[in-house]
């Protein structure tokens, strides 16, 4: 009984510890998060598939990442030895998720003449972008579809 009384008195003391409620304290804007995003692009280096990373000040869609790939290595990357096996491809890129772990990369260009390395550049860039957005790259495949032809599903050999 004595313990119960001590407990009740202790709770009463703690409940009235002297801190008074206050209104909302205005302290200005919340801190902003300044972020950068790393964009993985796959180019060619000495005849092999090679990953490079660019730092972007904003988040890019996977289509925008493929557009960067199609534009080729920037001057700094060229200086490091990066090249591309991709020919110039005009037009808009579209990436469509057709099923779980299955995507289509749709280009406004012929794709039947693309080399295996060029296809790997496209597929790996798409899957790295999807992994960054949705964590869906492992076990995923991409079919590359063009105005003339279709290249069947393939995975990225380095992911």
């Amino acid at each position: 009984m004595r313990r119960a009384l001590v407990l009740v008195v202790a709770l009463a003391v703690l409940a009235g510890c002297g801190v008074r409620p206050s209104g909302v304290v205005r302290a200005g804007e919340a801190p902003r998060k300044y972020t950068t995003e790393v964009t993985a692009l796959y180019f060619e280096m000495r005849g092999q598939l090679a990953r490079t990373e660019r730092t972007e000040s904003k988040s890019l869609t996977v289509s925008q990442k493929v557009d960067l790939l199609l534009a080729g290595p920037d001057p700094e990357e060229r200086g490091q030895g990066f090249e591309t096996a991709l020919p110039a491809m005009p037009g808009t890129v579209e990436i469509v998720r057709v099923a779980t772990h299955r995507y289509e990369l749709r280009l406004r260009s012929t794709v039947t003449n693309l080399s295996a390395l060029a296809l790997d550049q496209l597929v790996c860039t798409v899957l790295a972008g999807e992994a960054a957005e949705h964590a869906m790259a492992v076990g995923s495949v991409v079919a590359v579809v063009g105005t003339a032809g279709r290249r069947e599903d393939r995975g990225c050999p380095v992911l």
Side-chain angles (χ1 to χ4, degrees):
M1 181 72 171
R2 186 173 182 163
R3 278 188 173 170
L5 183 60
V6 170
L7 182 61
V8 168
V9 170
L11 287 175
V13 169
L14 289 174
C17 65
V19 176
R20 297 178 187 250
S22 66
V24 175
V25 176
R26 303 223 181 264
E29 283 188 51
R32 291 187 180 166
K33 183 178 177 184
Y34 293 98
T35 61
T36 57
E37 180 179 304
V38 174
T39 297
L41 302 174
Y42 288 83
F43 290 112
E44 174 186 356
M45 184 181 279
R46 293 187 282 286
Q48 301 292 317
L49 186 65
R51 176 184 168 125
T52 186
E53 295 178 345
R54 293 185 187 173
T55 303
E56 304 294 333
S57 60
K58 63 179 183 171
S59 183
L60 301 177
T61 66
V62 179
S63 294
Q64 290 170 320
K65 292 174 185 182
V66 173
D67 285 339
L68 289 175
L69 175 72
L70 294 174
D74 65 21
E76 182 181 339
E77 292 162 341
R78 284 200 184 280
Q80 295 170 0
F82 288 98
E83 299 174 332
T84 186
L86 291 162
M89 294 183 169
T92 307
V93 172
E94 182 182 12
I95 288 109
V96 178
R97 184 173 170 199
V98 293
T100 303
H101 299 291
R102 244 183 106 232
Y103 300 89
E104 277 188 2
L105 169 59
R106 298 176 182 166
L107 302 168
R108 296 186 193 278
S109 184
T110 302
V111 297
T112 54
N113 59 344
L114 293 177
S115 69
L117 185 56
L119 288 170
D120 286 343
Q121 282 184 248
L122 291 166
V123 168
C124 292
T125 298
V126 168
L127 292 179
E130 287 295 332
E133 282 187 24
H134 309 291
M136 295 281 295
V138 176
S140 294
V141 293
V142 178
V144 180
V145 181
T147 55
R150 172 188 179 92
R151 301 299 290 269
E152 288 306 314
D153 296 348
R154 65 191 291 133
C156 177
V158 294
L159 284 182

